[in-house]
Amino acid sequence: MKITAWMVAACLVSLAVVGQTMTITAAGDPYPPYADPKNPDGGLGLEIVRAAYKTQGHEVTMDYVPWARAETGVKNGTYDILPFTWRTDARLKVLLYSTPYAVGNVRFIKRKGDPFEFNGLASLSGKRIGVVLGYGYGDAFSTAGAFERDNGKDLMTNIKKLLRNRLDLTLEDEIVARSIIGAEDPTALNAIEFVKAPLSVNPLYVTAGLQNPKAKEIIGAFNQGLEIIRANGTLDRIFRKYGMEKAGP
């Protein structure tokens, strides 16, 4: 009998389930469609994370807190994982990263009719740009000095400032931004535009704090589970459920 990758994966599931199970605590702010407290299934990202861990016999709970608090809590081990993390050099020093499971385009958002187009960081010179405190937009953007970063508590705060001419631009993963704005203020979608060229194309990762003694076990379990749900079609089914083609690597 030919041994397939799926059969090997099934054996790994069996071994995991009979072993020690964990309840893994995730933390982050609402990040629809990836994490949506109004969605009974949790959202696209949480469904993927839970499905992957389920193959290993683990459950995932989600605490919705401001992003900066979630990141601090995962770094010191108060929480187990950040289920949706962008990669930065600073975070690599304190977080253990999983295999990426999705990819998003981070784009600048402008008022409709604004002729601005992004053409490298130099094109942002003199701009006042709304960011969310604690978010990782990439080291080059975070350290550039030719423009002003204005900290807001969340995307909608920055969108309101943008439409009141208190900001020149804000930015977010386009899929996330459309979901949040469409749910909270659909009329705002008609008053803004997404700049064509992205600031970055960001893979999404699950991360655990290096201070957490179970970090390797937690991230290893996700990586094994991700391989299984990718092989058995669960990953693609979740993406299709949210009207998306596979958005992962």
Side-chain angles (χ1 to χ4, degrees), residues 121-143:
L121 293 176
S123 66
L124 302 175
S125 180
K127 300 291 187 183
R128 184 178 178 88
I129 303 173
V131 299
V132 176
L133 183 64
Y135 276 23
Y137 297 99
D139 298 293
F141 177 85
S142 298
T143 57

Side-chain angles (χ1 to χ4, degrees), residues 211-239:
Q211 292 186 31
N212 187 333
K214 292 186 176 181
K216 289 184 178 179
E217 180 182 359
I218 289 168
I219 296 302
F222 175 77
N223 287 342
Q224 288 184 5
L226 183 62
E227 288 184 13
I228 293 170
I229 66 171
R230 181 175 283 129
N232 67 16
T234 299
L235 183 64
D236 286 340
R237 285 196 295 272
I238 294 172
F239 277 116

Side-chain angles (χ1 to χ4, degrees), residues 172-184:
E172 182 55 274
D173 180 305
E174 183 176 358
I175 293 171
V176 174
R178 288 187 182 279
S179 181
I180 292 174
I181 300 168
E184 297 196 27

Side-chain angles (χ1 to χ4, degrees), residues 42-96:
L44 169 64
L46 273 181
E47 283 205 56
I48 292 171
V49 170
R50 284 173 169 153
Y53 277 117
K54 186 178 180 180
T55 70
Q56 307 302 300
H58 306 320
E59 295 183 354
V60 177
T61 62
M62 179 70 186
D63 286 354
Y64 286 101
V65 297
W67 177 261
R69 187 191 306 174
E71 186 171 8
T72 299
V74 170
K75 287 176 182 177
N76 64 29
T78 301
Y79 300 110
D80 292 318
I81 62 170
L82 293 165
F84 337 101
T85 315
W86 295 342
R87 188 183 183 101
T88 69
D89 290 343
R91 286 174 176 167
L92 283 171
K93 297 175 182 178
V94 292
L95 298 175
L96 181 63

